[in-house]
Amino acid sequence: MVQKKILKTFINETDKPDEKQNKSLINQLARTIAENSKTLAEFGMAPPIIAKIKL
């Protein structure tokens, strides 16, 4: 659920016009998504959670 909200926030921020994008927020969100994905993969939960997010 948290990962889904982070992904939505990332998409919303990157969809804004370039001059209104918060680049530091985008970078932080990207790092957080990567860290969360790595952690979930270590637990073997990444594929089911990612599939659920896409629905």
Side-chain angles (χ1 to χ4, degrees):
M1 191 164 102
V2 174
Q3 184 81 334
K4 184 176 182 177
K5 187 166 182 108
I6 292 170
L7 286 168
K8 284 184 178 183
T9 305
F10 179 80
I11 291 167
N12 289 339
E13 192 63 32
T14 56
D15 284 345
K16 291 181 182 178
D18 285 342
E19 61 273 357
K20 294 194 177 210
Q21 288 181 353
N22 184 341
K23 301 293 183 184
S24 62
L25 176 60
I26 291 171
N27 288 334
Q28 182 62 40
L29 289 170
R31 276 185 263 142
T32 303
I33 291 167
E35 289 171 10
N36 288 349
S37 295
K38 182 180 176 185
T39 302
L40 291 172
E42 288 173 359
F43 287 119
M45 298 175 62
I49 290 175
I50 290 172
K52 196 173 207 177
I53 289 171
K54 288 184 178 181
L55 295 177

